[in-house]
Amino acid sequence: MKKQHLVMLALASTFFVAGQAGAMTKDEYKVAKEKVEADYKVAKAQCDTMKDNAKDVCQKEAKGKEEVAKAELEQQYQPSDSHARKVAEEKVKAAYEVAKEKCDDQNGAAKDACVKQAKADEAQGKADIKAMKKTM
């Protein structure tokens, strides 16, 4: 239930920020995109110091943050309902990928329950996005 509230809060804040932000210039967009890519490289390099599943989780988190940042950047550059949905979709996808990777640290029934919860959270996020499409 707590995760559902967090997803809804994230979706709502995305639309609030998207509605408040003015469109970027092409040069601002290019600089911001380069920054997102540079931030990803730095985050990924930090993951290289880790081992085993912690490294895998770190890489999934870094990739997820990059994809969300790119989607948010597109929304800032060319605000639209479809870009806002893309931001929400990337957040759900990133959360699922990280949660699923964290489940690898567990065994047996605990791992199965963890994966089941990750899938349930993803399904709820997708349902929220689908409901959001109907209101737009």
Side-chain angles (χ1 to χ4, degrees):
M1 188 68 136
K2 184 178 178 184
K3 288 183 182 183
Q4 180 182 8
H5 291 303
L6 292 175
V7 170
M8 292 304 291
L9 180 62
L11 293 174
S13 67
T14 298
F15 290 115
F16 179 74
V17 171
Q20 300 297 318
M24 308 172 89
T25 66
K26 191 171 188 173
D27 289 335
E28 290 172 331
Y29 171 77
K30 185 178 177 185
V31 169
K33 189 172 183 181
E34 289 171 358
K35 183 184 182 317
V36 167
E37 291 168 357
D39 289 347
Y40 170 67
K41 288 179 183 177
V42 168
K44 192 171 179 211
Q46 290 175 341
C47 296
D48 290 339
T49 63
M50 298 178 180
K51 293 181 181 182
D52 302 324
N53 198 48
K55 182 177 181 176
D56 295 340
V57 170
C58 180
Q59 289 173 337
K60 293 284 185 184
E61 287 173 340
K63 186 64 175 172
K65 286 178 186 176
E66 179 196 31
E67 294 301 321
V68 168
K70 283 182 178 179
E72 288 173 339
L73 182 59
E74 286 298 321
Q75 174 62 7
Q76 289 174 350
Y77 183 52
Q78 297 176 329
S80 70
D81 289 345
S82 67
H83 284 141
R85 279 192 305 274
K86 180 70 173 170
V87 170
E89 289 166 357
E90 288 298 334
K91 287 180 178 182
V92 169
K93 179 182 169 188
Y96 172 69
E97 291 295 325
V98 170
K100 193 170 76 167
E101 194 64 46
K102 287 181 178 180
C103 293
D104 286 347
D105 280 334
Q106 301 177 20
N107 296 318
K111 182 175 181 176
D112 293 343
C114 181
V115 170
K116 186 176 180 180
Q117 183 62 49
K119 287 181 181 180
D121 292 343
E122 178 193 32
Q124 182 62 51
K126 286 182 177 181
D128 292 343
I129 292 167
K130 189 174 184 179
M132 181 176 61
K133 285 181 186 179
K134 292 179 182 179
T135 62
M136 291 183 168

